[in-house]
Amino acid sequence: AAASQDEVGRSGGNKDSGGPQAAPAVDPGASLTGEAADLARLPLTMQFALCQAEYNASRPKSVPVHLALRDWMKLALPLAHGTWNAAAWERGNHRTDDDGYRQEVYMMMLQRCLSAAEPFDNFSDRRCFYQPEEETEEGEIRKPKRRRVGTQTSSSGETNGGGGEGRRDAVVCESSLVVLSRVFFSLRLALDIQGAKSFA
């Protein structure tokens, strides 16, 4: 009988118990309350992106606007075009992406993302898209270089209407503005859609 008990102990249980049991999933926000609990359930990359965007927003005079835009896009793009995991990130149990109820944590993130852009005038400054002009050693003014914004497609140099380098600059700058405009539109649309839903 003793040997039989030892075998049971080494196997982690008897045949009826089904063997060792997996540890239950732990809610990262279980020991927190309110907004802190909501944020704790989000991926660390998203938490960091929010903190960085709001840090920049609290210092609009000292943070270069193009760097603020770069950091803001790291938060905005996943919210605007990514997949929101309602089951893992929303409050309550058994939430799904298409349950028809308002996703309150998602709404909070959308609002905070849009608010973080306001101190920078929603990134309407030309410096967001072009680097400053530079003077060469010969005293000539070097043409401002373009900045990459989000995931816009850079020009390959081929244009339908011709126009050379100047035309390509306009195309890339326009695509940057389009990317930014679409992101703002998607964020505001998502916020409106969620606001029209009922509470879970």
Side-chain angles (χ1 to χ4, degrees), residues 114-128:
L114 289 168
S115 295
E118 292 177 358
F120 297 99
D121 295 325
N122 291 333
F123 306 109
S124 57
D125 195 303
R126 187 175 187 274
R127 291 173 295 174
C128 292

Side-chain angles (χ1 to χ4, degrees), residues 37-48:
D38 295 336
L39 293 175
R41 287 191 295 271
L42 300 178
L44 289 177
T45 52
M46 188 174 293
Q47 294 181 41
F48 178 80

